[in-house]
PDB file of all heavy atoms in Angstrom:
ATOM      1  N   THR A 697      74.188  30.192 -75.261  1.00 85.00           N
ATOM      2  CA  THR A 697      74.172  29.540 -73.941  1.00 85.00           C
ATOM      3  C   THR A 697      73.278  28.327 -73.937  1.00 85.00           C
ATOM      4  O   THR A 697      73.596  27.339 -73.290  1.00 85.00           O
ATOM      5  CB  THR A 697      73.700  30.539 -72.876  1.00 85.00           C
ATOM      6  OG1 THR A 697      72.406  31.089 -73.300  1.00 85.00           O
ATOM      7  CG2 THR A 697      74.655  31.696 -72.724  1.00 85.00           C
ATOM      8  N   GLN A 698      72.146  28.406 -74.621  1.00 77.00           N
ATOM      9  CA  GLN A 698      71.151  27.237 -74.560  1.00 77.00           C
ATOM     10  C   GLN A 698      71.454  26.295 -75.712  1.00 77.00           C
ATOM     11  O   GLN A 698      71.267  26.573 -76.892  1.00 77.00           O
ATOM     12  CB  GLN A 698      69.754  27.808 -74.664  1.00 77.00           C
ATOM     13  CG  GLN A 698      69.353  28.706 -73.527  1.00 77.00           C
ATOM     14  CD  GLN A 698      67.950  29.263 -73.618  1.00 77.00           C
ATOM     15  OE1 GLN A 698      67.169  28.903 -74.569  1.00 77.00           O
ATOM     16  NE2 GLN A 698      67.567  30.072 -72.651  1.00 77.00           N
ATOM     17  N   LEU A 699      71.960  25.103 -75.339  1.00 71.00           N
ATOM     18  CA  LEU A 699      72.413  24.114 -76.252  1.00 71.00           C
ATOM     19  C   LEU A 699      71.530  22.858 -76.163  1.00 71.00           C
ATOM     20  O   LEU A 699      72.072  21.756 -75.847  1.00 71.00           O
ATOM     21  CB  LEU A 699      73.861  23.790 -76.070  1.00 71.00           C
ATOM     22  CG  LEU A 699      74.834  24.966 -76.121  1.00 71.00           C
ATOM     23  CD1 LEU A 699      76.271  24.523 -75.879  1.00 71.00           C
ATOM     24  CD2 LEU A 699      74.758  25.587 -77.513  1.00 71.00           C
ATOM     25  N   GLY A 700      70.286  22.973 -76.454  1.00 82.00           N
ATOM     26  CA  GLY A 700      69.472  21.792 -76.361  1.00 82.00           C
ATOM     27  C   GLY A 700      68.176  21.929 -75.582  1.00 82.00           C
ATOM     28  O   GLY A 700      68.184  22.672 -74.601  1.00 82.00           O
ATOM     29  N   LEU A 701      67.168  21.190 -75.977  1.00 82.00           N
ATOM     30  CA  LEU A 701      65.853  21.322 -75.354  1.00 82.00           C
ATOM     31  C   LEU A 701      65.918  20.762 -73.915  1.00 82.00           C
ATOM     32  O   LEU A 701      65.349  21.263 -72.951  1.00 82.00           O
ATOM     33  CB  LEU A 701      64.743  20.597 -76.180  1.00 82.00           C
ATOM     34  CG  LEU A 701      63.359  20.517 -75.633  1.00 82.00           C
ATOM     35  CD1 LEU A 701      62.805  21.969 -75.329  1.00 82.00           C
ATOM     36  CD2 LEU A 701      62.425  19.738 -76.546  1.00 82.00           C
ATOM     37  N   GLY A 702      66.600  19.600 -73.801  1.00 86.00           N
ATOM     38  CA  GLY A 702      66.649  18.983 -72.485  1.00 86.00           C
ATOM     39  C   GLY A 702      67.259  19.899 -71.431  1.00 86.00           C
ATOM     40  O   GLY A 702      66.715  20.037 -70.319  1.00 86.00           O
ATOM     41  N   LEU A 703      68.351  20.539 -71.772  1.00 88.00           N
ATOM     42  CA  LEU A 703      69.033  21.432 -70.803  1.00 88.00           C
ATOM     43  C   LEU A 703      68.138  22.598 -70.492  1.00 88.00           C
ATOM     44  O   LEU A 703      68.030  23.104 -69.370  1.00 88.00           O
ATOM     45  CB  LEU A 703      70.332  21.898 -71.418  1.00 88.00           C
ATOM     46  CG  LEU A 703      71.189  22.855 -70.544  1.00 88.00           C
ATOM     47  CD1 LEU A 703      71.503  22.295 -69.197  1.00 88.00           C
ATOM     48  CD2 LEU A 703      72.451  23.279 -71.274  1.00 88.00           C
ATOM     49  N   ALA A 704      67.406  23.111 -71.499  1.00 89.00           N
ATOM     50  CA  ALA A 704      66.521  24.277 -71.293  1.00 89.00           C
ATOM     51  C   ALA A 704      65.380  23.884 -70.331  1.00 89.00           C
ATOM     52  O   ALA A 704      64.979  24.717 -69.529  1.00 89.00           O
ATOM     53  CB  ALA A 704      65.915  24.771 -72.637  1.00 89.00           C
ATOM     54  N   LEU A 705      64.873  22.669 -70.524  1.00 90.00           N
ATOM     55  CA  LEU A 705      63.760  22.270 -69.589  1.00 90.00           C
ATOM     56  C   LEU A 705      64.274  22.130 -68.092  1.00 90.00           C
ATOM     57  O   LEU A 705      63.520  22.527 -67.213  1.00 90.00           O
ATOM     58  CB  LEU A 705      63.206  20.903 -70.070  1.00 90.00           C
ATOM     59  CG  LEU A 705      62.551  20.925 -71.476  1.00 90.00           C
ATOM     60  CD1 LEU A 705      62.005  19.589 -71.838  1.00 90.00           C
ATOM     61  CD2 LEU A 705      61.394  21.943 -71.453  1.00 90.00           C
ATOM     62  N   VAL A 706      65.495  21.551 -67.925  1.00 92.00           N
ATOM     63  CA  VAL A 706      66.032  21.476 -66.599  1.00 92.00           C
ATOM     64  C   VAL A 706      66.183  22.909 -65.988  1.00 92.00           C
ATOM     65  O   VAL A 706      65.879  23.114 -64.840  1.00 92.00           O
ATOM     66  CB  VAL A 706      67.432  20.778 -66.624  1.00 92.00           C
ATOM     67  CG1 VAL A 706      68.042  20.840 -65.256  1.00 92.00           C
ATOM     68  CG2 VAL A 706      67.174  19.327 -67.065  1.00 92.00           C
ATOM     69  N   PHE A 707      66.691  23.806 -66.792  1.00 93.00           N
ATOM     70  CA  PHE A 707      66.899  25.195 -66.328  1.00 93.00           C
ATOM     71  C   PHE A 707      65.576  25.810 -65.950  1.00 93.00           C
ATOM     72  O   PHE A 707      65.424  26.533 -64.917  1.00 93.00           O
ATOM     73  CB  PHE A 707      67.580  26.030 -67.425  1.00 93.00           C
ATOM     74  CG  PHE A 707      68.767  26.790 -66.919  1.00 93.00           C
ATOM     75  CD1 PHE A 707      69.984  26.792 -67.646  1.00 93.00           C
ATOM     76  CD2 PHE A 707      68.752  27.514 -65.753  1.00 93.00           C
ATOM     77  CE1 PHE A 707      71.102  27.458 -67.206  1.00 93.00           C
ATOM     78  CE2 PHE A 707      69.824  28.227 -65.278  1.00 93.00           C
ATOM     79  CZ  PHE A 707      70.980  28.179 -66.057  1.00 93.00           C
ATOM     80  N   ALA A 708      64.563  25.559 -66.788  1.00 94.00           N
ATOM     81  CA  ALA A 708      63.229  26.136 -66.566  1.00 94.00           C
ATOM     82  C   ALA A 708      62.679  25.664 -65.256  1.00 94.00           C
ATOM     83  O   ALA A 708      62.148  26.468 -64.465  1.00 94.00           O
ATOM     84  CB  ALA A 708      62.299  25.768 -67.717  1.00 94.00           C
ATOM     85  N   VAL A 709      62.733  24.389 -64.965  1.00 95.00           N
ATOM     86  CA  VAL A 709      62.202  23.836 -63.703  1.00 95.00           C
ATOM     87  C   VAL A 709      62.933  24.411 -62.499  1.00 95.00           C
ATOM     88  O   VAL A 709      62.321  24.799 -61.503  1.00 95.00           O
ATOM     89  CB  VAL A 709      62.196  22.284 -63.709  1.00 95.00           C
ATOM     90  CG1 VAL A 709      61.807  21.762 -62.384  1.00 95.00           C
ATOM     91  CG2 VAL A 709      61.322  21.754 -64.816  1.00 95.00           C
ATOM     92  N   LEU A 710      64.355  24.339 -62.557  1.00 95.00           N
ATOM     93  CA  LEU A 710      65.081  24.729 -61.438  1.00 95.00           C
ATOM     94  C   LEU A 710      64.901  26.326 -61.222  1.00 95.00           C
ATOM     95  O   LEU A 710      64.840  26.767 -60.023  1.00 95.00           O
ATOM     96  CB  LEU A 710      66.575  24.502 -61.660  1.00 95.00           C
ATOM     97  CG  LEU A 710      66.921  23.054 -61.445  1.00 95.00           C
ATOM     98  CD1 LEU A 710      68.408  22.820 -61.844  1.00 95.00           C
ATOM     99  CD2 LEU A 710      66.636  22.521 -60.114  1.00 95.00           C
ATOM    100  N   ALA A 711      64.796  27.104 -62.265  1.00 96.00           N
ATOM    101  CA  ALA A 711      64.622  28.531 -62.125  1.00 96.00           C
ATOM    102  C   ALA A 711      63.220  28.835 -61.523  1.00 96.00           C
ATOM    103  O   ALA A 711      63.053  29.694 -60.662  1.00 96.00           O
ATOM    104  CB  ALA A 711      64.702  29.239 -63.482  1.00 96.00           C
ATOM    105  N   GLY A 712      62.245  28.074 -61.919  1.00 97.00           N
ATOM    106  CA  GLY A 712      60.866  28.263 -61.399  1.00 97.00           C
ATOM    107  C   GLY A 712      60.855  28.001 -59.861  1.00 97.00           C
ATOM    108  O   GLY A 712      60.263  28.765 -59.090  1.00 97.00           O
ATOM    109  N   ILE A 713      61.526  26.949 -59.462  1.00 97.00           N
ATOM    110  CA  ILE A 713      61.525  26.557 -58.042  1.00 97.00           C
ATOM    111  C   ILE A 713      62.344  27.636 -57.285  1.00 97.00           C
ATOM    112  O   ILE A 713      61.909  28.262 -56.262  1.00 97.00           O
ATOM    113  CB  ILE A 713      62.052  25.184 -57.839  1.00 97.00           C
ATOM    114  CG1 ILE A 713      61.130  24.227 -58.485  1.00 97.00           C
ATOM    115  CG2 ILE A 713      62.239  24.881 -56.333  1.00 97.00           C
ATOM    116  CD1 ILE A 713      61.645  22.778 -58.487  1.00 97.00           C
ATOM    117  N   SER A 714      63.656  27.790 -57.668  1.00 97.00           N
ATOM    118  CA  SER A 714      64.577  28.624 -56.851  1.00 97.00           C
ATOM    119  C   SER A 714      64.184  30.091 -56.802  1.00 97.00           C
ATOM    120  O   SER A 714      64.135  30.667 -55.724  1.00 97.00           O
ATOM    121  CB  SER A 714      65.985  28.472 -57.458  1.00 97.00           C
ATOM    122  OG  SER A 714      66.376  27.087 -57.498  1.00 97.00           O
ATOM    123  N   GLU A 715      63.900  30.673 -57.910  1.00 97.00           N
ATOM    124  CA  GLU A 715      63.619  32.098 -57.993  1.00 97.00           C
ATOM    125  C   GLU A 715      62.290  32.461 -57.302  1.00 97.00           C
ATOM    126  O   GLU A 715      62.172  33.523 -56.704  1.00 97.00           O
ATOM    127  CB  GLU A 715      63.657  32.596 -59.466  1.00 97.00           C
ATOM    128  CG  GLU A 715      65.088  32.486 -60.061  1.00 97.00           C
ATOM    129  CD  GLU A 715      65.102  32.771 -61.563  1.00 97.00           C
ATOM    130  OE1 GLU A 715      64.105  33.344 -62.050  1.00 97.00           O
ATOM    131  OE2 GLU A 715      66.113  32.468 -62.218  1.00 97.00           O
TER     132      GLU A 715
END
Side-chain angles (χ1 to χ4, degrees):
T697 56
Q698 297 181 1
L699 302 179
L701 178 60
L703 180 58
L705 296 179
V706 172
F707 231 133
V709 173
L710 287 178
I713 297 173
S714 302
E715 294 172 14

